Amino acid sequence: MEKRSPTGDELRASVEARRELGPEYEDSLIEGFLDKMGQEIDRRVEERVAARVPQKPEAPAVRPGVDAGQRLALAIVSIVLGVGSTVAFAIADRRAGPMILVWLGIIVVNIAFARGSRR
């Protein structure tokens, strides 16, 4: 039996709802899906941050570098937006031009962040 992720289930539900409701509800479905993915990302990041907190109360809290958290957040958001927009454009049967622009934007933001964090 294959293990399903909550993210995959949400995507399947959104695609199925789009099939049933039609293209006029597409924007709302995409926004809802991306909102749920954002909440899932927040939950996972909070879990990881909570796991890093020392177990001993007398030990000083070790704060992870801001860069590490920012890199993780940017990577997760980039993946969610890239995959989400690709799925959205695929569902909408639209031209590849806007999808390519979204991916180029994601790439430019990631390169700018990488160059800025080196300084």
Side-chain angles (χ1 to χ4, degrees):
M1 190 181 337
E2 126 187 27
K3 181 181 177 185
R4 288 187 158 179
S5 70
T7 306
D9 291 342
E10 288 293 335
L11 179 58
R12 285 182 198 86
S14 294
V15 170
E16 185 60 33
R18 195 274 183 187
R19 285 184 191 135
E20 291 176 11
L21 297 174
E24 57 272 1
Y25 291 98
E26 186 170 291
D27 290 341
S28 297
L29 291 169
I30 291 170
E31 287 176 25
F33 174 77
L34 291 177
D35 185 49
K36 288 178 184 177
M37 291 304 99
Q39 292 172 5
E40 179 68 13
I41 290 168
D42 291 343
R43 184 189 65 76
R44 290 180 183 184
V45 169
E46 288 172 6
E47 283 178 0
R48 288 181 182 154
V49 169
R52 291 184 177 181
V53 173
Q55 299 299 321
K56 297 178 182 179
E58 66 273 359
V62 177
R63 185 172 175 217
V66 175
D67 287 341
Q70 288 177 338
R71 281 194 303 271
L72 174 64
L74 181 62
I76 293 171
V77 170
S78 296
I79 290 169
V80 168
L81 288 178
V83 171
S85 64
T86 301
V87 169
F89 284 113
I91 290 172
D93 294 329
R94 301 244 168 96
R95 298 181 321 267
M99 182 175 57
I100 292 170
L101 288 176
V102 169
W103 276 103
L104 286 175
I106 291 169
I107 291 167
V108 167
V109 167
N110 278 274
I111 290 172
F113 180 82
R115 285 187 177 169
S117 65
R118 288 183 190 157
R119 294 179 187 169

PDB file of all heavy atoms in Angstrom, residues 13-15 17-19 21-22 25-34:
ATOM      1  N   ALA A  13      -7.191  16.679  -4.228  1.00  0.00           N
ATOM      2  CA  ALA A  13      -8.516  17.237  -3.926  1.00  0.00           C
ATOM      3  C   ALA A  13      -8.754  18.514  -4.727  1.00  0.00           C
ATOM      4  O   ALA A  13      -9.855  18.729  -5.244  1.00  0.00           O
ATOM      5  CB  ALA A  13      -8.641  17.512  -2.430  1.00  0.00           C
ATOM      6  N   SER A  14      -7.733  19.349  -4.858  1.00  0.00           N
ATOM      7  CA  SER A  14      -7.876  20.587  -5.624  1.00  0.00           C
ATOM      8  C   SER A  14      -8.113  20.300  -7.106  1.00  0.00           C
ATOM      9  O   SER A  14      -8.952  20.934  -7.746  1.00  0.00           O
ATOM     10  CB  SER A  14      -6.630  21.465  -5.468  1.00  0.00           C
ATOM     11  OG  SER A  14      -6.505  21.906  -4.144  1.00  0.00           O
ATOM     12  N   VAL A  15      -7.376  19.345  -7.640  1.00  0.00           N
ATOM     13  CA  VAL A  15      -7.545  18.985  -9.051  1.00  0.00           C
ATOM     14  C   VAL A  15      -8.939  18.395  -9.280  1.00  0.00           C
ATOM     15  O   VAL A  15      -9.619  18.737 -10.256  1.00  0.00           O
ATOM     16  CB  VAL A  15      -6.437  17.999  -9.502  1.00  0.00           C
ATOM     17  CG1 VAL A  15      -6.736  17.439 -10.882  1.00  0.00           C
ATOM     18  CG2 VAL A  15      -5.078  18.687  -9.484  1.00  0.00           C
ATOM     19  N   ALA A  17     -11.631  18.944  -7.450  1.00  0.00           N
ATOM     20  CA  ALA A  17     -12.617  20.022  -7.294  1.00  0.00           C
ATOM     21  C   ALA A  17     -12.659  20.883  -8.550  1.00  0.00           C
ATOM     22  O   ALA A  17     -13.730  21.315  -8.979  1.00  0.00           O
ATOM     23  CB  ALA A  17     -12.270  20.873  -6.075  1.00  0.00           C
ATOM     24  N   ARG A  18     -11.509  21.109  -9.162  1.00  0.00           N
ATOM     25  CA  ARG A  18     -11.467  21.906 -10.392  1.00  0.00           C
ATOM     26  C   ARG A  18     -12.225  21.189 -11.507  1.00  0.00           C
ATOM     27  O   ARG A  18     -12.951  21.798 -12.272  1.00  0.00           O
ATOM     28  CB  ARG A  18     -10.009  22.142 -10.789  1.00  0.00           C
ATOM     29  CG  ARG A  18      -9.823  23.238 -11.837  1.00  0.00           C
ATOM     30  CD  ARG A  18      -9.958  22.721 -13.198  1.00  0.00           C
ATOM     31  NE  ARG A  18      -9.709  23.747 -14.200  1.00  0.00           N
ATOM     32  CZ  ARG A  18      -9.910  23.542 -15.469  1.00  0.00           C
ATOM     33  NH1 ARG A  18     -10.367  22.387 -15.886  1.00  0.00           N
ATOM     34  NH2 ARG A  18      -9.668  24.482 -16.337  1.00  0.00           N
ATOM     35  N   ARG A  19     -12.073  19.874 -11.569  1.00  0.00           N
ATOM     36  CA  ARG A  19     -12.794  19.102 -12.585  1.00  0.00           C
ATOM     37  C   ARG A  19     -14.300  19.205 -12.375  1.00  0.00           C
ATOM     38  O   ARG A  19     -15.062  19.331 -13.328  1.00  0.00           O
ATOM     39  CB  ARG A  19     -12.373  17.635 -12.533  1.00  0.00           C
ATOM     40  CG  ARG A  19     -11.020  17.370 -13.121  1.00  0.00           C
ATOM     41  CD  ARG A  19     -10.720  15.880 -13.131  1.00  0.00           C
ATOM     42  NE  ARG A  19      -9.323  15.657 -13.451  1.00  0.00           N
ATOM     43  CZ  ARG A  19      -8.539  14.824 -12.815  1.00  0.00           C
ATOM     44  NH1 ARG A  19      -8.991  14.096 -11.818  1.00  0.00           N
ATOM     45  NH2 ARG A  19      -7.289  14.691 -13.165  1.00  0.00           N
ATOM     46  N   LEU A  21     -16.027  21.570 -10.499  1.00  0.00           N
ATOM     47  CA  LEU A  21     -16.577  22.920 -10.467  1.00  0.00           C
ATOM     48  C   LEU A  21     -16.357  23.691 -11.767  1.00  0.00           C
ATOM     49  O   LEU A  21     -17.107  24.611 -12.072  1.00  0.00           O
ATOM     50  CB  LEU A  21     -15.960  23.711  -9.308  1.00  0.00           C
ATOM     51  CG  LEU A  21     -16.262  23.162  -7.914  1.00  0.00           C
ATOM     52  CD1 LEU A  21     -15.475  23.947  -6.870  1.00  0.00           C
ATOM     53  CD2 LEU A  21     -17.750  23.216  -7.629  1.00  0.00           C
ATOM     54  N   GLY A  22     -15.327  23.338 -12.489  1.00  0.00           N
ATOM     55  CA  GLY A  22     -15.066  24.014 -13.747  1.00  0.00           C
ATOM     56  C   GLY A  22     -14.046  25.126 -13.592  1.00  0.00           C
ATOM     57  O   GLY A  22     -13.646  25.491 -12.488  1.00  0.00           O
ATOM     58  N   TYR A  25     -13.926  28.501 -11.118  1.00  0.00           N
ATOM     59  CA  TYR A  25     -13.514  28.455  -9.712  1.00  0.00           C
ATOM     60  C   TYR A  25     -12.016  28.186  -9.558  1.00  0.00           C
ATOM     61  O   TYR A  25     -11.526  28.016  -8.445  1.00  0.00           O
ATOM     62  CB  TYR A  25     -14.296  27.362  -8.967  1.00  0.00           C
ATOM     63  CG  TYR A  25     -15.745  27.700  -8.801  1.00  0.00           C
ATOM     64  CD1 TYR A  25     -16.699  27.194  -9.678  1.00  0.00           C
ATOM     65  CD2 TYR A  25     -16.160  28.533  -7.780  1.00  0.00           C
ATOM     66  CE1 TYR A  25     -18.033  27.510  -9.533  1.00  0.00           C
ATOM     67  CE2 TYR A  25     -17.492  28.851  -7.618  1.00  0.00           C
ATOM     68  CZ  TYR A  25     -18.428  28.338  -8.497  1.00  0.00           C
ATOM     69  OH  TYR A  25     -19.739  28.652  -8.348  1.00  0.00           O
ATOM     70  N   GLU A  26     -11.304  28.160 -10.671  1.00  0.00           N
ATOM     71  CA  GLU A  26      -9.901  27.787 -10.653  1.00  0.00           C
ATOM     72  C   GLU A  26      -9.051  28.693  -9.769  1.00  0.00           C
ATOM     73  O   GLU A  26      -8.250  28.216  -8.964  1.00  0.00           O
ATOM     74  CB  GLU A  26      -9.357  27.798 -12.078  1.00  0.00           C
ATOM     75  CG  GLU A  26      -7.958  27.280 -12.190  1.00  0.00           C
ATOM     76  CD  GLU A  26      -7.590  27.108 -13.641  1.00  0.00           C
ATOM     77  OE1 GLU A  26      -8.155  26.206 -14.289  1.00  0.00           O
ATOM     78  OE2 GLU A  26      -6.756  27.886 -14.106  1.00  0.00           O
ATOM     79  N   ASP A  27      -9.210  30.009  -9.898  1.00  0.00           N
ATOM     80  CA  ASP A  27      -8.405  30.932  -9.099  1.00  0.00           C
ATOM     81  C   ASP A  27      -8.626  30.710  -7.606  1.00  0.00           C
ATOM     82  O   ASP A  27      -7.671  30.696  -6.822  1.00  0.00           O
ATOM     83  CB  ASP A  27      -8.714  32.386  -9.462  1.00  0.00           C
ATOM     84  CG  ASP A  27      -8.208  32.763 -10.847  1.00  0.00           C
ATOM     85  OD1 ASP A  27      -7.332  32.049 -11.370  1.00  0.00           O
ATOM     86  OD2 ASP A  27      -8.693  33.764 -11.402  1.00  0.00           O
ATOM     87  N   SER A  28      -9.869  30.525  -7.203  1.00  0.00           N
ATOM     88  CA  SER A  28     -10.160  30.287  -5.788  1.00  0.00           C
ATOM     89  C   SER A  28      -9.549  28.979  -5.311  1.00  0.00           C
ATOM     90  O   SER A  28      -9.025  28.903  -4.192  1.00  0.00           O
ATOM     91  CB  SER A  28     -11.673  30.247  -5.560  1.00  0.00           C
ATOM     92  OG  SER A  28     -12.251  31.485  -5.867  1.00  0.00           O
ATOM     93  N   LEU A  29      -9.623  27.952  -6.137  1.00  0.00           N
ATOM     94  CA  LEU A  29      -9.056  26.666  -5.759  1.00  0.00           C
ATOM     95  C   LEU A  29      -7.536  26.752  -5.625  1.00  0.00           C
ATOM     96  O   LEU A  29      -6.960  26.203  -4.680  1.00  0.00           O
ATOM     97  CB  LEU A  29      -9.435  25.595  -6.786  1.00  0.00           C
ATOM     98  CG  LEU A  29     -10.910  25.208  -6.818  1.00  0.00           C
ATOM     99  CD1 LEU A  29     -11.220  24.357  -8.038  1.00  0.00           C
ATOM    100  CD2 LEU A  29     -11.283  24.473  -5.540  1.00  0.00           C
ATOM    101  N   ILE A  30      -6.900  27.453  -6.542  1.00  0.00           N
ATOM    102  CA  ILE A  30      -5.449  27.598  -6.486  1.00  0.00           C
ATOM    103  C   ILE A  30      -5.052  28.389  -5.248  1.00  0.00           C
ATOM    104  O   ILE A  30      -4.118  28.014  -4.525  1.00  0.00           O
ATOM    105  CB  ILE A  30      -4.910  28.266  -7.777  1.00  0.00           C
ATOM    106  CG1 ILE A  30      -5.078  27.306  -8.959  1.00  0.00           C
ATOM    107  CG2 ILE A  30      -3.447  28.676  -7.614  1.00  0.00           C
ATOM    108  CD1 ILE A  30      -4.811  27.932 -10.298  1.00  0.00           C
ATOM    109  N   GLU A  31      -5.751  29.489  -4.970  1.00  0.00           N
ATOM    110  CA  GLU A  31      -5.447  30.285  -3.781  1.00  0.00           C
ATOM    111  C   GLU A  31      -5.623  29.450  -2.517  1.00  0.00           C
ATOM    112  O   GLU A  31      -4.802  29.517  -1.602  1.00  0.00           O
ATOM    113  CB  GLU A  31      -6.341  31.518  -3.727  1.00  0.00           C
ATOM    114  CG  GLU A  31      -5.973  32.576  -4.743  1.00  0.00           C
ATOM    115  CD  GLU A  31      -6.933  33.751  -4.733  1.00  0.00           C
ATOM    116  OE1 GLU A  31      -7.571  34.005  -3.688  1.00  0.00           O
ATOM    117  OE2 GLU A  31      -7.043  34.415  -5.771  1.00  0.00           O
ATOM    118  N   GLY A  32      -6.694  28.665  -2.469  1.00  0.00           N
ATOM    119  CA  GLY A  32      -6.931  27.811  -1.308  1.00  0.00           C
ATOM    120  C   GLY A  32      -5.829  26.776  -1.141  1.00  0.00           C
ATOM    121  O   GLY A  32      -5.356  26.526  -0.025  1.00  0.00           O
ATOM    122  N   PHE A  33      -5.423  26.176  -2.247  1.00  0.00           N
ATOM    123  CA  PHE A  33      -4.356  25.180  -2.190  1.00  0.00           C
ATOM    124  C   PHE A  33      -3.053  25.815  -1.702  1.00  0.00           C
ATOM    125  O   PHE A  33      -2.385  25.281  -0.816  1.00  0.00           O
ATOM    126  CB  PHE A  33      -4.151  24.541  -3.572  1.00  0.00           C
ATOM    127  CG  PHE A  33      -2.973  23.615  -3.636  1.00  0.00           C
ATOM    128  CD1 PHE A  33      -3.046  22.349  -3.092  1.00  0.00           C
ATOM    129  CD2 PHE A  33      -1.782  24.020  -4.225  1.00  0.00           C
ATOM    130  CE1 PHE A  33      -1.957  21.486  -3.131  1.00  0.00           C
ATOM    131  CE2 PHE A  33      -0.692  23.168  -4.273  1.00  0.00           C
ATOM    132  CZ  PHE A  33      -0.786  21.897  -3.733  1.00  0.00           C
ATOM    133  N   LEU A  34      -2.688  26.961  -2.273  1.00  0.00           N
ATOM    134  CA  LEU A  34      -1.443  27.611  -1.877  1.00  0.00           C
ATOM    135  C   LEU A  34      -1.500  28.067  -0.420  1.00  0.00           C
ATOM    136  O   LEU A  34      -0.487  28.000   0.293  1.00  0.00           O
ATOM    137  CB  LEU A  34      -1.139  28.792  -2.804  1.00  0.00           C
ATOM    138  CG  LEU A  34      -0.770  28.409  -4.243  1.00  0.00           C
ATOM    139  CD1 LEU A  34      -0.574  29.657  -5.090  1.00  0.00           C
ATOM    140  CD2 LEU A  34       0.459  27.533  -4.282  1.00  0.00           C
TER     141      LEU A  34
END
